[in-house]
Amino acid sequence: MNIVNIIEKKKGGNALTKDEISFAINGFLDKTILDSQMSSLLMAICFKGMNDEETYYLTDVMINSGSVIDLSKIDGITVDKHSTGGVGDKISLILLPIVASCGIKVPKMSGRSLGHTGGTIDKLESIPGFRTSMSIDYFIEQINEIGMGIISQTLNMVPADKRIYALRSITGTTDSLPLIASSIMSKKIASGAKNIVIDVKVGKGALVKDLDEARELSNIMIEIGKKFDRKVVCLLTNMDYPLGRSIGNILEVVEAMQVLDGSGTEDLKSISLELATLMISTGKGVSREEAYLEAKEALESGRALEKFKEFVSYQGGNLNYIELSTNIKSFNSKFSGYITNIDARKLADFIVDIRSKEKIDYKTGIVLNKKLGDFVEVGEKLLDVYINSDAENNNIEITNYDEILENCFEISEKKNKAEVKLIYEVVE
Ligand code: URA
């Protein structure tokens, strides 16, 4: 078998066999296939797609590239959650403690940032001392004791996804449905949960741009789930605008805690509660109404916040040592009016441009002072930019700073007529 033939076969729009997919993935892992060749194959997949059978084979090969967690040692019901990726998406940090404090066990394997979208592991590692890597036995013990845990892919789990994910992030090959579906489902199946709830983000700041694509992606993941005897439920949610007020690792951790203590934004609260409802109803087999009330009580009573603190400290993190950058530049409005658009993708690209390229930058980000629909006066603050005071680019001069940020906002005399829909639909 020859990788060039496989690339050319996909480039011509033909379906690959399981042996060909296995040859490409395993060759990439043992380095007999070069990064450039894998990038080329990924790009061909982006253009020509994969049918359901190929996507299933790809998922299977990826799962078998590493070890798989046996969750049978966990007492109780396990439900896992994943997001297809968004801007300012810190939902997992809010949702998991809600669900765990309602008695569901949540063992979660998360990823790092992918392209312009953020990653839960980077956010958690911005908490001083936080460990995202541990032995499987320790992880299972943690889940049994406190009901939740989040680990990275360092336990030789789905190493194929880990390497392909990193390559996709730098080769413009993030937004292919079969690549997203196989990446997510391989991690979810390897980490063992029988029930999986997926937040499929749709819109300008997401990898999936419209509702039809989101439905297609959901159906691909549901079908893969069936083949592995897993129940998959997808919630389609709006990602045209940034979620909450913060974008950037440590800033998002701080904001997640604000939602947990009752002072966060409504969008984060309602998406978290909706996903919690699905996780609890799927796990416990109760009605959605009942599950919603349980989730709301866990959030509003402060139990979820306590669970979050317990989880952080169990994984070695110390919330008292969180440090934000002190190098802050404010950006003020040149116009007065209603904010009719905030472009999530442009803001995310701005942050990618100004953050450290040397290592993961925990401190760079922005905090919005105004949200969609708010009124702003001339000279009033629209947002603060946090520039990493520790990074090598600490003194960076952001060229066209004002111009770039101005392009992220639309300000009009009149408010948008239609209410923005935050949650579209459930696909199951
Ligand atoms: N999350 C993943 O784990 N993989 C993707 O490809 C997209 C989002």
Side-chain angles (χ1 to χ4, degrees):
M1 223 174 268
N2 176 324
I3 186 64
V4 178
N5 292 344
I6 294 175
I7 296 168
E8 284 182 346
K9 186 171 175 187
K10 185 40 72 189
K11 190 176 77 176
N14 299 302
L16 302 179
T17 63
K18 182 162 189 188
D19 284 349
E20 287 164 336
I21 293 172
S22 171
F23 178 83
I25 302 297
N26 292 320
F28 176 56
L29 274 180
D30 69 22
K31 304 208 162 92
T32 51
I33 286 171
L34 307 172
D35 281 11
S36 52
Q37 293 171 316
M38 185 46 98
S39 307
S40 190
L41 181 58
L42 292 171
M43 191 56 90
I45 294 172
C46 279
F47 281 118
K48 298 295 177 179
M50 277 184 144
N51 63 31
D52 288 353
E53 202 165 50
E54 288 175 285
T55 312
Y56 161 64
Y57 291 150
L58 177 59
T59 311
D60 195 36
V61 169
M62 296 222 283
I63 295 168
N64 288 314
S65 69
S67 45
V68 171
I69 297 191
D70 172 10
L71 293 184
S72 59
K73 288 194 209 127
I74 293 183
D75 317 319
I77 312 150
T78 53
V79 185
D80 199 351
K81 177 263 173 183
H82 208 84
S83 159
T84 57
V87 178
D89 180 4
K90 68 279 299 172
I91 298 280
S92 289
L93 305 183
I94 306 160
L95 168 68
L96 266 55
I98 297 178
V99 175
S101 61
C102 292
I104 298 273
K105 300 279 166 62
V106 201
K108 177 162 164 54
M109 196 202 307
S110 284
R112 297 194 177 276
S113 81
L114 178 66
H116 70 281
T117 65
T120 302
I121 291 299
D122 296 342
K123 296 179 217 267
L124 286 170
E125 284 182 354
S126 68
I127 304 171
F130 197 97
R131 286 187 307 270
T132 56
S133 145
M134 64 189 80
S135 73
I136 293 183
D137 285 347
Y138 186 89
F139 185 58
I140 290 181
E141 197 181 305
Q142 171 175 343
I143 306 296
N144 274 332
E145 251 173 64
I146 68 164
M148 65 172 287
I150 303 181
I151 47 167
S152 59
Q153 273 160 283
T154 40
L155 305 167
N156 189 33
M157 285 170 68
V158 214
D161 175 63
K162 194 170 176 215
R163 291 218 26 229
I164 292 171
Y165 194 88
L167 199 57
R168 283 169 61 210
S169 201
I170 55 166
T171 54
T173 51
T174 53
D175 58 355
S176 139
L177 300 190
L179 294 181
I180 298 172
S182 54
S183 163
I184 292 179
M185 291 307 293
S186 60
K187 285 194 285 275
K188 298 295 99 179
I189 289 159
S191 43
K194 289 273 177 242
N195 301 293
I196 302 158
V197 172
I198 302 176
D199 182 3
V200 180
K201 301 245 162 263
V202 193
K204 290 197 280 273
L207 300 179
V208 179
K209 300 289 178 279
D210 64 45
L211 273 174
D212 284 343
E213 258 197 359
R215 290 184 188 115
E216 193 183 333
L217 176 62
S218 303
N219 286 320
I220 299 172
M221 293 191 289
I222 290 168
E223 286 308 313
I224 295 174
K226 278 189 198 154
K227 295 219 161 73
F228 290 92
D229 194 24
R230 311 295 158 112
K231 182 168 167 52
V232 177
V233 180
C234 297
L235 183 71
L236 276 44
T237 63
N238 187 332
M239 188 68 258
D240 279 327
Y241 314 104
L243 273 176
R245 291 187 183 277
S246 305
I247 310 172
N249 293 315
I250 193 63
L251 297 167
E252 294 191 41
V253 173
V254 171
E255 185 173 33
M257 285 196 287
Q258 287 164 354
V259 179
L260 289 168
D261 80 9
S263 61
T265 58
E266 267 313 302
D267 55 349
L268 286 171
K269 184 177 167 183
S270 51
I271 294 186
S272 303
L273 284 179
E274 203 65 32
L275 286 163
T277 300
L278 290 179
M279 289 176 79
I280 296 167
S281 63
T282 306
K284 292 190 177 176
V286 297
S287 71
R288 294 214 178 129
E289 291 71 24
E290 202 177 316
Y292 178 80
L293 291 177
E294 247 193 86
K296 192 161 176 282
E297 196 278 328
L299 178 63
E300 292 177 354
S301 64
R303 275 195 293 127
L305 177 61
E306 287 316 306
K307 182 57 73 187
F308 177 79
K309 289 181 182 164
E310 188 184 12
F311 148 70
V312 169
S313 104
Y314 207 103
Q315 292 197 212
N318 193 331
L319 294 167
N320 297 324
Y321 292 136
I322 281 184
E323 253 183 38
L324 303 186
S325 175
T326 48
N327 187 1
I328 304 169
K329 288 187 181 201
S330 296
F331 171 69
N332 300 331
S333 180
K334 297 197 177 84
F335 308 97
S336 83
Y338 292 97
I339 302 188
T340 49
N341 189 20
I342 303 179
D343 193 313
R345 177 60 195 259
K346 284 185 186 157
L347 282 177
D349 286 344
F350 171 74
I351 294 169
V352 171
D353 274 353
I354 65 165
R355 74 186 175 197
S356 169
K357 311 286 180 287
E358 301 290 300
K359 49 186 184 210
I360 298 168
D361 187 335
Y362 297 123
K363 290 189 176 176
T364 295
I366 61 158
V367 177
L368 293 166
N369 189 44
K370 295 283 175 185
K371 294 267 293 166
L372 196 73
D374 286 352
F375 191 82
V376 63
E377 301 281 1
V378 177
E380 210 185 340
K381 182 159 74 181
L382 281 172
L383 60 84
D384 280 324
V385 182
Y386 285 68
I387 300 163
N388 192 347
S389 32
D390 300 335
E392 80 294 342
N393 60 348
N394 173 17
N395 289 319
I396 71 170
E397 248 332 295
I398 307 172
T399 45
N400 308 331
Y401 172 101
D402 272 13
E403 202 182 308
I404 297 169
L405 289 175
E406 207 177 310
N407 274 327
C408 298
F409 291 88
E410 273 172 29
I411 297 173
S412 313
E413 271 176 26
K414 288 193 188 134
K415 255 188 163 182
N416 283 339
K417 277 206 191 94
E419 271 294 302
V420 171
K421 229 177 166 187
L422 207 54
I423 295 164
Y424 295 117
E425 64 196 47
V426 176
V427 182
E428 59 189 324

